[in-house]
Amino acid sequence: MPTTMELSPEQSGRARDENEATLVGGCDPLICPDATLVSAAPTLVILSDDGFGRVISVDRAHVIIGRSPRADVVVSDPEISRRHVMLKGSADGLICQDLGSTNGTFVNGERISRTILREGDVVRAGATIIKCTHAG
């Protein structure tokens, strides 16, 4: 399952994973909400109601987003297919690929079948909005 950020390893008392996001500046995100997260793995954040603020780290070969309980990132948006979109790291960057969804996948307002995401790109799948915060 992709990594979601809640507490730093120092805060939770566990060991740090090499692909895990780390906070720049050493400030607790609850105290400094404008602090910046940096990760070795590409990261995205959900900006819509279903999962608002959830950080997705693409720290494996690929990550599937959809309604299915078998998806890596499960969202309850009824406009999303069971297996809607795949995120995958490559030598060219972070690939975003629609998996034949009924309602399509859009990046920066344009319907895509497959594209490379850049930092700041906004992905829409159904009513779910996801922003690429670190393309890797």
Side-chain angles (χ1 to χ4, degrees), residues 48 50 66-67 74-81 103 125-129:
S48 54
D50 184 23
R67 279 192 349 258
V74 178
V75 292
S76 61
D77 180 349
E79 296 179 32
I80 286 187
S81 297
N103 294 321
T128 301
I129 308 297

Side-chain angles (χ1 to χ4, degrees), residues 43-45 47 94 96 106-109 115-124 129-135:
T43 54
L44 301 97
V45 64
L47 299 178
L94 181 61
C96 177
F106 297 80
V107 174
N108 300 328
T115 193
I116 302 290
L117 292 180
R118 304 288 179 225
E119 191 169 316
D121 283 351
V122 176
V123 178
R124 182 174 60 81
I129 308 297
I130 304 168
K131 184 173 183 177
C132 180
T133 56
H134 177 62

Side-chain angles (χ1 to χ4, degrees), residues 5-11 16-17 19-40 55:
M5 306 306 146
E6 292 176 11
L7 295 175
S8 72
E10 294 80 16
Q11 293 168 318
R16 179 177 298 282
D17 181 305
N19 290 325
E20 187 170 14
T22 55
L23 191 63
V24 174
C27 182
D28 184 326
L30 299 174
I31 298 169
C32 302
D34 294 331
T36 304
L37 286 174
V38 176
S39 174
V55 176

